[in-house]
Amino acid sequence: MSSSQQQDPRDRPARLSVGVVGAGRVGPALAASLQLAGHRPVAVSAVSDTSRRRAGLMLPDVPVLPPADVLERSDLVLLTVPDDTLPGLVAGLAETGAVRPGQMLVHTSGRYGAKVLDPALRAGALPLALHPAMTFTGTPVDVQRLAGCSFGVTAPEELRLAAEALVIEMGGEPEWIDEEMRPLYHAALALGANHLVTLVAQSMDLLREAGVEAPDRMLGPLLGAALDNALRSGDAALTGPVARGDAGTVAAHVAELRRHAPQAVAGYLAMARATADRALAHGLLKPELAEDLLEVLAGGPNLPENGEDR
């Protein structure tokens, strides 16, 4: 069953009452998506004024209640809190008797699998880990972005079909991740997405320093093409002075970064070394050119010091 084969929610009655513990950017969007699939949001917990406003925007007329009251009203509970908060929250809810047998508890942490929900499992709950591989804005546009979004799914084997069905109902595409692979899975996403934001922001800062008035307009087509090529071709898409072995150009880059943005030098060198390694391994960087390049990246004699030209 694909997301395109979903029934019109008007053709079926609401089936599960849905509660949200933690009205950050993720929880209200998932609850709104489940509502479109025919489920019924019944309660949300929110602490800050920002989260209360977000809950009101995304889930109008849904009451804001303490977490224990959210669980009392809900068949399906979305635990959408920060990673470091999740274990303590689960343990506390189980210890206080807020969790009831047969209740579905879903967390959205990329780091954790289903075992973090073991205290709730012992109380009779059904544990599911559903992590959307998407960045969220905390606005209604997030619901639309879930269409076709991949979810990292981890659950006890007997709950696998139920977990995947929930993802499909939200418009997503389930991708099974073994429990022991969750940290690696999450690290991969952080490396690709979170670090990308840092790289792009640094690039825009440097372009402004160089006098470019609209760095976003300049970078947009370039980065779009680079991303598309990388997703299609992997390492074969590598281009630029590192992949070509242009040691002099790379040395000039580092000199300019030391002069104008010394805080960016370490990141540039680290990414350049990683790029050189991959280019070498895939036959893109000629071995005879790699020696001078790697010497530059190691701070050798070809590298201008303190921004001074050699």
Side-chain angles (χ1 to χ4, degrees):
M1 177 181 179
S2 70
S3 56
S4 62
Q5 295 173 315
Q6 295 180 73
Q7 291 177 290
D8 188 323
R10 294 170 295 182
D11 295 337
R12 58 176 184 260
R15 291 160 295 158
L16 295 173
S17 55
V18 179
V20 180
V21 176
R25 297 182 179 184
V26 179
L30 298 189
S33 295
L34 288 169
Q35 185 174 34
L36 291 175
H39 301 291
R40 182 169 58 93
V42 294
V44 58
S45 73
V47 177
S48 69
D49 291 340
T50 299
S51 61
R52 285 175 175 270
R53 286 193 297 269
R54 184 180 298 117
L57 173 66
M58 302 288 289
L59 301 171
D61 302 322
V62 174
V64 176
L65 301 172
D69 293 340
V70 172
L71 268 69
E72 183 179 0
R73 295 184 175 208
S74 307
D75 302 318
L76 167 63
V77 182
L78 301 172
L79 303 177
T80 50
V81 298
D83 290 358
D84 289 350
T85 303
L86 182 61
L89 172 66
V90 175
L93 291 172
E95 289 170 3
T96 58
V99 179
R100 65 175 187 269
Q103 192 170 45
M104 299 180 74
L105 257 62
V106 176
H107 80 70
T108 59
S109 167
R111 170 186 173 187
Y112 293 110
K115 286 191 178 300
V116 73
L117 298 173
D118 275 356
L121 175 63
R122 290 190 289 269
L126 308 177
L128 309 174
L130 308 179
H131 174 251
M134 178 60 64
T135 58
F136 288 78
T137 64
T139 65
V141 72
D142 294 332
V143 179
Q144 302 170 20
R145 287 182 173 177
L146 288 174
C149 168
S150 292
F151 279 66
V153 176
T154 306
E157 187 59 37
E158 61 272 20
L159 295 176
R160 178 169 178 168
L161 290 179
E164 292 177 345
L166 280 174
V167 169
I168 291 170
E169 286 192 315
M170 288 185 283
E173 298 290 341
E175 185 73 37
W176 184 259
I177 308 294
D178 289 337
E179 180 77 31
E180 64 273 16
M181 291 292 103
R182 290 289 289 207
L184 179 61
Y185 152 81
H186 195 225
L189 293 179
L191 183 66
N194 302 153
H195 296 175
L196 176 63
V197 174
T198 301
L199 289 172
V200 173
Q202 284 186 336
S203 181
M204 289 200 294
D205 288 344
L206 293 170
L207 286 171
R208 291 189 190 95
E209 178 75 12
V212 175
E213 293 185 0
D216 54 340
R217 189 170 63 220
M218 176 175 284
L219 284 175
L222 173 64
L223 297 183
L227 177 59
D228 184 65
N229 290 342
L231 293 174
R232 291 175 183 271
S233 304
D235 289 296
L238 283 172
T239 62
V242 173
R244 291 192 299 267
D246 292 340
T249 298
V250 173
H253 287 177
V254 177
E256 286 304 297
L257 290 176
R258 281 180 169 169
R259 181 180 295 117
H260 296 283
Q263 72 280 2
V265 171
Y268 180 96
L269 291 174
M271 289 303 300
R273 291 186 193 108
T275 299
D277 289 343
R278 298 188 75 92
L280 265 174
H282 289 81
L284 301 173
L285 175 58
K286 296 179 181 179
E288 60 269 24
L289 298 177
E291 185 175 354
D292 286 347
L293 175 66
L294 294 176
E295 190 174 19
V296 168
L297 296 177
N302 288 325
L303 182 61
E305 298 290 341
N306 300 319
E308 295 177 0
D309 295 330
R310 288 181 176 267

